[in-house]
Structures are given as C-alpha cells and as structure tokens.
Amino acid sequence: MKSGAVGRGDRLGAVVAFAERVLREGRDRYGHARGGVDTPLFADGVHPRSGEHVRWRPEQGEPFPASNLANQQNLLRTLVALSLVSGDEQYVEAAEAAVRYHFDALQDPGGLLQWGGHRLINLETLRPGGNKGLVHELKDVLPFYEFMFAVDSWATRRFVEGFWNAHVLEWSTLEISRHGEYGLEAGPLWEHSFADPEPFRRVVGLSFLSAGNDLIYSAGMLHLATGEEGPLRWMKRLAGMYVKARHPRTGLGAYQYTQPLKRREPESDRDTHSACGDRALRQLGPEFGPEAIEGNVLLAPQARSIYGVNALMQLALAERLGVNGRELVEWTAAGLAAYARHAYVPERNQFKPLLANGTDLSGHVLPRDGYYGRAGRVLEPFAADGLFLAAYARAYRLTGDEAIWQVVRQIARGLGLGELGDGPGRGSRPHPSVACRDPRAIFALLELYDVGRCPVYLELAERVGENLLATSFAEGYFSGGGETVLFDSLEPWALLALEAARRPGAGEFPRYAGGAASRHAGAYYVV
C-alpha cells in the first residue's frame, strides 16, 4: 500500500506508508563512498524536502549522517508490530538485520553497543562518533530487549552484563554513573556483595533515575529471558535504593539516592559541574534549607522520569514477573498515590514543582544562576500529559486502586477526553469533540480498555488516533510538517496498537514502557 493510497482515517495504510518510506529512504546509502556495500543500518531521520539524512554536529569536525540505535528503539517496535498486524515479514526482517549488524560488527569487546547519548555511528565511515568523550550513556531509553533477545540472546546478554559492569562504580553501595567506559573486562557482576547503604551518601557517581531506569529495566529483562536470579536480585536492590530515598513523611522522590561529592570549588554560579557538590543545595539551599538537594527536587524532568517513565517501566516488568514483581507494583503504586496527593492540581490538570518534603516551589524566582536555570527563571507548574495518564492508567489496571482511578479520571478530563466514569465503563461520557492528539493517551486508553473491554475507551483512543493522523501524518512521514523527520516517533506504534486491539490474536504486541530516544542528543542534529 503506497502513501498515495492512504485515505482519511486509514491507520494501517498510514503506518505502511511510513514504514515503506523509511525502508526506501532511511537506510545506509554510503557503501560506495566507503568502497563497499550498504549496510542494513538506519539513519536517525531525514529532511523530507531534500531527502538528505539528518546529520550529527560533533564538538570537533564536520557533521556526519547519524545512526544511533538508541534513537531507533520505537522505530524497531513499529516495524515489528507492523509485521504482526499486517502479516508482511519485510518490516521485522529489516529491524532484525539492523540489530544483528550491531551485534555482529559493532559490539564492543566488553559487551556495550555503539549508541546512546554521546556515542553513535557515522554512516559515512561506520565508525563511532559523538561528544563528551564518546562515553556510553542510556537515559530513559528502555531498549526493545524482547526483540534483541530474539535476534541474538547471547549478544544481548553480553550487552546487559557489560552495561551493569560499566555503570556500577561500586557494587557494595550501588554507586552508579550515567556514563560508562568502553572496553572494560567483566568482574563478578551479580556475585558481588551488597551493603544496603543509607541514602544520600556523597559519592562521585550521579545516581540519576533516568540512568537507573535503564539499568533496572535491562536486569529485569535479562532475568525474564534467562531465568537467572542474579539480575533479578540486583534489579530489586537498585529499584529499592530509590524507594529508600523517598521522603519519610511525604513518600515523594527520589530522583537520586546519592549526593555529588564536592571535589573542587565552583568558578562561578554558572559552573554546574557535579564536582562542585550538590547543585540543588547551592542554588536552592539558601532559601529552602538542607533538604533542598538534587535527589529531592521534583521539577518537570525529574517528575516525568519518576512518575512517568519509571512507573510505566516498573509496572511493565512487574506484570511479566508475576509473583516476583509484587514489590515493584507496591512501590510504584505508592509513589504515584503520594505524588497525586501532594502535587496534582485537578482544576488545572497540572503538577506543582516540589521538593520531596512537600515544599511547593510554584512561582519561586531563582535568585541566582545554577543547575536549574539562570537567575530570574520562575519555577512553574507543568501539564499532566499523556505520559502521566498512561502511568496512572496502568497502575489502576494492575491494582484496582480507587484513589488512582480518580486521578486517571481527572487527567483524562484535563486532556479533553471527557468523563471516564465512576469506574471502568460506568457512566462514561466522552467529550463530544475530542482534540487530544497525544499518542501516549492512546496507550493509556488501551490500558483501560484491557480492564473490562469497555468499547467506549477503544472508541476514545480511535478518536485520538484520528486527530493524530490529521495533524502529524504527511507524505508518508509522521512529522507534523517539520523540517526534520526523526524516525523514532510514537505515533505509528500507537496507531498499530489500535489496530492490534481491533484484531486480537496477531501475536504478542510490544507494550509501551515509557522509553524514548535520547532527546538531548537531538540538539546536535543539523541540516
């Protein structure tokens, strides 16, 4: 089915058109320049008017066409799901070829892949390029591990073990770093001892949850693939460190369970290097006291990582783990409930910026430069969007908690979806003119549809899908008319999830876990 044949509301036709354009225009075309043949690698995106691949701007040297497998995980999910729904194997075969090439030709001896926030492949040379020392970094990416294991279970296991080996600086205290070194030899890994330390120790490594999420997810998926107990044990230990660091009174937090160790004096307020100590304490401490530390700050990025990505990911793991995942469900649901109590403002469908002790930072004007912005920045509430709706919807599906259902209802109203009802299917009144086009709202509504197969939620999801098609799909790409198309969009995958809901029995459909491309890396893409 070609892009010209796509009619209004033709979800599957739109995704087929997208996949065909990606397969036709998005793959390696530089073999002749290298004196060889083209590989099955994908570029990260394209400029639809010129047909040129997006290029990465390194800190030194000329921009080059970029292929970052970490920025293609949702593209892989789309291709695999399209084969499941359509029965056409060419899409999954293309995805498999790209992943297999990484395993066969690009995997580091220590197991790491050439991907992430600072390292990627130059398609003109097939050599790694990037920024900041080309270190390994995954932050809230959550790769498509079930597919990676299906392609090459041994190589995927090597990656996960190498990932933990490179990013855990001290196993006994679970001092981790968002940056990992390539070329390390494997140590005892899961056989290390664990001292179960108290939170907020001062260490060199930064225990950002955005990095911790990927470590947690990888270990859980390794256990599910192999049945080994070591990865499960360390997954729970790492997840538990963030839970232990929650504020004892409010249950809020934590984005970090350590504090940066001060190793030098800052050169100015604009010197926000972690070597200068806790950056929140420097910028917010004079006004808010000693609890204003990095691990306790809940502005939009931190809150999204904790109550969006972490919640979706841990609940997805918990469902697969069964009895071994009960702690993850309990921890995650308790965190979401605490966040709703302290931060959510249903009248505005917003979350307040907070410290984990409950201090409302709304309207606070930063009096000095620092990690959270320049002097004069006003800290403001932020929208409860489809990511949060999906997290609370999944928590409700797995717990049946009435308080969580009320939050789901309120966020849905705030997104213009209408009234979801007193309970699933009871008194639902969809908004007569739904304008929402957030693909994550589709995943959320499908979570609710799975509770009791109430058709109103599927119909609502389809209306969101219609809006998405009308505003984001043009000439075979999901771009909203932008100058640059990055292939790792959620839109085609969400539309396929709708198709799968209408066509049960197509196979195990990839479940949304909250991951996304390394968007900070997107700042380096140039025309």
Side-chain angles (χ1 to χ4, degrees):
M1 185 180 299
K2 304 299 181 185
S3 58
V6 177
R8 181 176 177 83
D10 184 358
R11 294 188 297 264
L12 183 56
V15 179
V16 168
F18 165 76
E20 289 186 347
R21 283 208 72 174
V22 171
L23 295 187
R24 185 171 63 250
E25 302 172 9
R27 290 196 277 192
D28 176 17
R29 59 177 75 148
Y30 307 95
H32 66 283
R34 301 187 301 263
V37 298
D38 294 341
T39 71
L41 297 180
F42 291 99
D44 286 352
V46 70
H47 301 285
R49 293 181 183 175
S50 68
E52 294 296 314
H53 289 160
V54 296
R55 289 180 171 256
W56 173 275
R57 182 181 60 243
E59 292 167 335
Q60 296 180 344
E62 294 298 316
F64 57 81
S67 180
N68 189 341
L69 191 66
N71 286 0
Q72 298 170 11
Q73 295 301 298
N74 290 332
L75 171 63
L76 297 179
R77 290 178 172 101
T78 294
L79 294 174
V80 171
L82 181 55
S83 286
L84 284 172
V85 170
S86 69
D88 188 336
E89 294 296 306
Q90 68 168 317
Y91 310 112
V92 68
E93 289 169 358
E96 178 179 347
V99 173
R100 191 173 296 282
Y101 187 89
H102 274 269
F103 286 148
D104 291 346
L106 298 172
Q107 190 166 25
D108 181 75
L112 295 178
L113 298 175
Q114 315 295 331
W115 65 356
H118 302 296
R119 194 175 180 104
L120 66 165
I121 295 299
N122 178 341
L123 283 175
E124 290 176 334
T125 65
L126 295 182
R127 297 192 184 99
N131 288 329
K132 292 188 177 180
L134 307 187
V135 293
H136 184 270
E137 178 187 81
L138 293 182
K139 291 166 67 176
D140 286 344
V141 172
L142 309 183
F144 192 11
Y145 285 115
E146 52 268 58
F147 183 62
M148 292 169 64
F149 275 108
V151 172
D152 190 326
S153 60
W154 175 246
T156 307
R157 175 178 176 169
R158 285 186 60 228
F159 167 73
V160 175
E161 292 176 346
F163 184 26
W164 275 71
N165 189 54
H167 287 262
V168 180
L169 304 183
E170 175 54 59
W171 287 74
S172 65
T173 59
L174 267 177
E175 178 183 349
I176 66 172
S177 173
R178 71 197 189 282
H179 292 158
E181 292 184 38
Y182 283 80
L184 297 181
E185 294 184 6
L189 293 172
W190 321 117
E191 301 307 316
H192 279 96
S193 61
F194 181 53
D196 198 15
E198 290 303 306
F200 302 125
R201 294 165 299 109
R202 289 180 172 83
V203 298
V204 173
L206 296 175
S207 55
F208 289 153
L209 181 61
S210 54
N213 281 336
D214 270 296
L215 287 166
I216 292 166
Y217 192 58
S218 68
M221 295 302 286
L222 179 57
H223 166 75
L224 286 166
T226 66
E228 294 181 17
E229 292 299 314
L232 176 66
R233 183 167 58 250
W234 282 95
M235 177 207 75
K236 289 186 178 182
R237 286 171 175 171
L238 182 53
M241 291 298 293
Y242 293 98
V243 175
K244 188 192 295 189
R246 290 176 179 174
H247 195 277
R249 178 171 51 81
T250 65
L252 293 172
Y255 186 66
Q256 293 190 51
Y257 55 82
T258 56
Q259 286 191 77
L261 176 67
K262 186 174 182 179
R263 290 166 280 155
R264 66 171 175 84
E265 292 296 325
E267 297 176 4
S268 69
D269 285 343
R270 295 186 182 181
D271 182 358
T272 60
H273 197 283
S274 61
C276 301
D278 193 293
R279 295 163 291 191
L281 200 58
R282 286 174 53 198
Q283 191 172 22
L284 302 175
E287 287 74 43
F288 298 104
E291 289 193 336
I293 59 177
E294 288 185 42
N296 285 338
V297 173
L298 300 176
L299 304 185
Q302 296 80 14
R304 294 175 68 81
S305 194
I306 300 171
Y307 302 108
V309 179
N310 177 264
L312 282 163
M313 176 271 292
Q314 290 195 159
L315 291 173
L317 274 180
E319 188 169 16
R320 287 177 170 232
L321 289 167
V323 66
N324 285 326
R326 285 186 297 194
E327 285 175 297
L328 293 182
V329 174
E330 292 168 1
W331 290 341
T332 306
L336 288 169
Y339 191 53
R341 285 195 303 273
H342 292 279
Y344 186 56
V345 183
E347 298 79 13
R348 300 197 302 268
N349 193 40
Q350 291 180 328
F351 291 106
K352 297 180 287 187
L354 298 175
L355 294 179
N357 62 11
T359 300
D360 186 356
L361 300 177
S362 300
H364 176 67
V365 181
L366 295 177
R368 59 192 66 82
D369 291 343
Y371 186 56
Y372 299 103
R374 296 290 180 87
R377 178 195 173 189
V378 181
L379 302 183
E380 298 177 341
F382 48 93
D385 58 16
L387 177 69
F388 291 105
L389 180 64
Y392 279 94
R394 180 168 295 168
Y396 176 76
R397 181 173 64 81
L398 295 182
T399 67
D401 186 284
E402 177 61 25
I404 288 179
W405 173 255
Q406 295 307 318
V407 180
V408 173
R409 290 177 71 186
Q410 292 160 341
I411 296 178
R413 285 194 213 110
L415 294 177
L417 297 173
E419 174 57 65
L420 296 185
D422 298 330
R426 300 199 306 269
S428 303
R429 296 185 303 280
H431 195 284
S433 55
V434 172
C436 177
R437 53 187 179 91
D438 187 335
R440 297 161 303 182
I442 293 175
F443 292 116
L445 289 163
L446 292 178
E447 293 282 341
L448 301 182
Y449 177 63
D450 283 346
V451 173
R453 297 289 163 175
C454 178
V456 69
Y457 301 137
L458 182 55
E459 292 163 5
L460 259 177
E462 290 179 328
R463 289 166 69 178
V464 176
E466 291 169 4
N467 295 337
L468 190 156
L469 268 179
T471 57
S472 298
F473 181 72
E475 298 182 353
Y477 285 127
F478 290 88
S479 65
E483 291 293 320
T484 300
V485 172
L486 298 180
F487 299 145
D488 203 56
S489 58
L490 282 176
E491 286 88 346
W493 180 21
L495 293 175
L496 287 173
L498 281 173
E499 288 297 308
R502 286 292 191 190
R503 306 177 185 202
E508 185 177 355
F509 193 85
R511 187 173 286 279
Y512 179 54
S518 299
R519 291 305 177 198
H520 74 282
Y524 295 98
Y525 290 128
V526 295
V527 176

